[in-house]
Amino acid sequence: MTNNTRVTTVKTILLLAANPRNTSQLRLDLEVREIEEGLQRAAKRQQFQLRAKWAVRLRDFYRAVLDTQPQIIHFCGHGAGEDGIVLEDEIGQVACVEAQELASLFKLFATKGVECVVLNACYSLIQAQAISQHIDYVIGMNQAVGDKAAIAFAVAFYDGIGAGEGVEFAYELGCSQIVRFMEQHTPVLLKKQQTVAVSDGLATQAAIEVVPPNPYKGLLAFAQEDAGFFFGREKFVNSLVQLAQSQPLVAVMGSSGSGKSSVVFAGLIPELRSMGNWLIETFRPQSQPFYGLAAALVRLLKPEADAIEQIAKAAELSKQMRQGDVTLSQVMASLTERYPHKRLLLVIDQFEELYTLCQDVFEQQQFVDTLLSAVKSAPHDLTIALTLRADFFSHVLSYTPFSEALQLYKPQFLLAMKQEEMEEAIEIPAQKMEVTLESGLTERILLDVKNEPGNLPLLEFALTQLWSKQRQGQLTHQAYEEIGGVTKALANHAQAVYEHLSDADQKRVEKIFIQLVRPGEGTEDTRCIATRDAFRKEDWDLVTRLASQRLVVTGRDEENKAETVEVVHEALIRQWTQLQKWMNEHREFRTWQERLKGRMREWEAMGKDESTLLRGLSLVEAQQWLDKRQDELSTAERELIEQSLASQEQQKKQEQRRQQEKERLQRRIYLALSSFSVVALGLVGVAGVGWWSAAINEINSLAKTSDGQLNLNGREALETSLRAVEKMQSTPWVDADTRRQVELTLLNTVHNVVVPNTLGGHAKQVNGVSFSPDGKILASGSLDNTVKLWDTSTGK
């Protein structure tokens, strides 16, 4: 009997998740769970089994493959480009597995039945290319990929596999699901070259196109590791190298986006480092320039210390340098002793932050003095190289010692690239990656760039966008048109991201971006760094998403232990009309808010002293904005306003109490003085002569005591005098001498305490006084036949 039962082969999908310690946390648990749920719902779910393993170390990686014998391997985690995928070594330190090491592993795995490999990690295309020599299908990422996009691609890919579709269909399905993230070109599918039978023999089927790693930097400055792809500035770099060896101060100035940081980091630094006799450290001033300087120095002074210890040492050294206890010259002496025959290159990038982020003018000048003192004392051991935007040159010139130093050491102005230099920057990086440009494309790009400063980041971004759209190793005119050319590439990218957001997220994006732009006052709007505290907690996920779309850059301020965010480049501020519209709509609020930030920094620097709180019109304005836009103020900004309001309220209550006390006193005086003109009628019976005599004695005693107190404590003298009057009012048959004594004592006290010098000016003796019912006006009558009216609050 023949058995016709069809046996279904079950394929194993192995999910390898790796998120080592000391790396940013990914939502790998969510990715694994959603893939698993999708396969459980799939029509062909009986044909697949899913195995998930945490493969943090390389040995975990290959052991999981040996244990499960999978047909599909899915890796999710971090990638580091040429350095490889990110795992851990045996002692828990981050270790990268390079492409060739992975290729050797998968050469073995191919013999065990592995058919497909998905490397769902940033910049994993290099590893994918190496693996594709041995595996039929390999997917890698040609750039960074956001968490949500990575998950969306993976879930859709395995939904396609679970439905019985092939790898190519599943790949296209995955790409279709990340269009909304603008990531559809990030995953790249590679196929191993195969032989197929044809009528006249064997022929080779070409592999699916491989897109080599992108040599362009987009909106980012070229770093030291990018020196091999940095072209077009050779002459300028050579001049910087010569200057750095011959003078202690080298200032590189130019417009925003002219490439100042790139010529220093990818040009000057690699050249000097290759000489072998240079110590090189870099930092940015940010809001605390002394801390940035101290941190750079500590890295040289204490290279053996761990990160936590270096932060503590930097904070301590920063404080000592601000207070003048330690100078940069003294630190240089220690470095010279530790590193004999070495010269220090200290690079201060984006020096304009000293004026935009540090609001304390004294600290600005003190920092400059610190640098100039070291330049003067150690000209053969130290070179300070700084990059500065040209529109901040006036800030430098306004401080005489700095301007005099730059007269001695002339600034190097970075001008726009010449046409032949631009051609090199466009064509040579592509040639090194064996990619060509379609005829006439270079000229077309140069025509769009024009000979203007500040367009290099836009050029690099356009080339980056263009790179992902290459066809058969060529950059084409059609692709250039698709990205919108040079000037609109970034703005188009930003607008596309914005339009794919929900209405609610678009409102959130608006609030996020206006916090990242500092409104210009006499200058163009500029970017600024905001901390996470400047946004609502629920908005930070959107900030992270914008970072994955290359619109903002997130970082961390180690001194203040705060996460930070800033726009990816100021070109976005100049070119994106949507952002310009937002800034025009919110300019009044943001201009006020920047002033508030300055007051807040002063308040915090003074230990939140009450004297630095908001007062008067400043507080009225702050309360109005607080009522309107509380959610857009940081916790510290709200705290300053609220404490100012609380202080104002407390002062109001104290003033009210003083006024009430004053009014009560005036009423008592009024009643007391009024009693002198009243003729006592209908006297009550006297209870006894002894009581009466004691009362008269007490009245006289109080009057005399008041006279004695007058020179010591006017307020006590007045109170005693009033008690004498009140005692006299309640005592019958007060003799004329006693009444006269009490009257004169009260008048004298009032004259000297309440309204000093106000009863002067009469030609003859004052013989009567009277208060108005509210106590605010005092009338004095004189034998000179005149009556004078006095304001009791001013004495006029």
Side-chain angles (χ1 to χ4, degrees), residues 369-632:
D369 289 341
T370 297
L371 299 178
L372 296 181
S373 177
V375 163
K376 185 176 181 180
S377 64
H380 304 297
D381 299 318
L382 170 68
T383 294
I384 294 176
L386 59 90
T387 65
L388 177 70
R389 271 178 42 181
D391 54 334
F392 282 87
F393 194 29
S394 60
H395 291 75
V396 171
L397 296 179
S398 66
Y399 187 50
T400 302
F402 207 173
S403 63
E404 290 176 347
L406 291 179
Q407 286 178 347
L408 183 61
Y409 306 111
K410 300 297 183 184
Q412 303 302 301
F413 287 94
L414 187 60
L415 305 178
M417 275 186 171
K418 298 178 181 178
Q419 181 162 325
E420 57 270 23
E421 293 176 327
M422 295 285 282
E423 289 178 358
E424 291 180 4
I426 294 171
E427 295 181 345
I428 297 180
Q431 291 172 7
K432 292 189 71 171
M433 303 307 294
E434 298 183 355
V435 172
T436 62
L437 281 81
E438 195 172 6
S439 177
L441 182 57
T442 298
E443 291 74 16
R444 181 180 180 183
I445 294 174
L446 288 175
L447 184 63
D448 287 345
V449 172
K450 300 178 182 178
N451 190 27
E452 296 179 4
N455 279 342
L456 287 179
L458 299 179
L459 169 64
E460 286 287 321
F461 182 78
L463 291 170
T464 302
Q465 296 289 91
L466 194 60
W467 190 262
S468 64
K469 291 179 174 292
Q470 64 182 262
R471 295 292 181 267
Q472 297 180 348
Q474 187 175 62
L475 307 182
T476 65
H477 286 277
Q478 180 181 349
Y480 185 69
E481 291 170 1
E482 290 175 4
I483 66 170
V486 170
T487 58
K488 294 299 182 182
L490 176 58
N492 288 347
H493 172 59
Q495 190 64 26
V497 172
Y498 173 71
E499 290 176 354
H500 278 86
L501 297 172
S502 65
D503 291 343
D505 281 350
Q506 287 182 353
K507 288 291 184 184
R508 293 201 294 157
V509 163
E510 179 179 350
K511 291 182 178 180
I512 288 170
F513 267 103
I514 65 171
Q515 290 296 328
L516 304 182
V517 180
R518 177 180 287 102
E521 298 184 73
T523 59
E524 289 184 337
D525 292 350
T526 57
R527 63 178 173 180
C528 60
I529 299 175
T531 62
R532 184 168 183 168
D533 179 57
F535 309 98
R536 298 181 305 171
K537 291 182 180 179
E538 58 268 30
D539 287 340
W540 194 253
D541 70 308
L542 187 53
V543 170
T544 304
R545 199 190 317 170
L546 293 172
S548 71
Q549 299 296 334
R550 320 296 192 278
L551 296 181
V552 301
V553 176
T554 55
R556 182 171 176 79
D557 182 341
E558 290 295 345
E559 172 72 2
N560 296 312
K561 306 297 183 185
E563 293 178 81
T564 62
V565 59
E566 58 186 310
V567 294
V568 70
H569 198 277
E570 289 186 358
L572 192 64
I573 300 173
R574 296 195 301 272
Q575 295 292 333
W576 191 17
T577 56
Q578 183 67 59
L579 179 53
Q580 293 170 348
K581 177 183 176 183
W582 290 335
M583 284 305 300
N584 289 334
E585 291 173 353
H586 302 288
R587 187 168 299 279
E588 182 182 2
F589 167 66
R590 285 291 294 117
T591 301
W592 165 81
Q593 190 179 27
E594 287 301 312
R595 292 200 305 268
L596 178 68
K597 291 179 187 294
R599 291 292 300 272
M600 183 186 69
R601 284 188 284 267
E602 177 187 357
W603 178 56
E604 291 176 338
M606 295 295 291
K608 300 186 177 181
D609 186 86
E610 188 173 352
S611 65
T612 58
L613 290 172
L614 302 174
R615 308 286 184 191
L617 292 176
S618 295
L619 182 55
V620 172
E621 187 179 19
Q623 184 173 14
Q624 291 172 346
W625 286 117
L626 179 67
D627 294 339
K628 294 177 183 177
R629 309 181 73 152
Q630 180 172 347
D631 288 347
E632 296 174 71

Side-chain angles (χ1 to χ4, degrees), residues 1 95 112 134 205 277 347 362 529 637 656 722 726 772:
M1 183 176 179
K112 302 297 182 182
H134 313 292
Q205 177 180 317
N277 63 328
V347 175
F362 175 76
I529 299 175
E637 291 165 353
Q656 287 175 352
L722 288 172
E726 291 164 350
S772 63

Side-chain angles (χ1 to χ4, degrees), residues 165-189:
E165 301 292 345
V167 171
E168 294 179 45
F169 178 92
Y171 162 77
E172 295 293 344
L173 179 62
C175 290
S176 73
Q177 295 306 299
I178 55 175
V179 171
R180 66 182 184 278
F181 300 109
M182 303 296 291
E183 296 274 12
Q184 66 270 26
H185 299 297
T186 300
V188 177
L189 173 63

Side-chain angles (χ1 to χ4, degrees), residues 764-775:
K764 295 184 179 180
Q765 177 183 343
V766 174
N767 63 352
V769 294
S770 180
F771 281 93
S772 63
D774 61 6

Side-chain angles (χ1 to χ4, degrees), residues 629-647:
R629 309 181 73 152
Q630 180 172 347
D631 288 347
E632 296 174 71
L633 299 176
S634 70
T635 301
E637 291 165 353
R638 291 195 300 269
E639 182 185 1
L640 171 59
I641 298 173
E642 289 165 356
Q643 287 203 21
S644 299
L645 290 171
S647 176

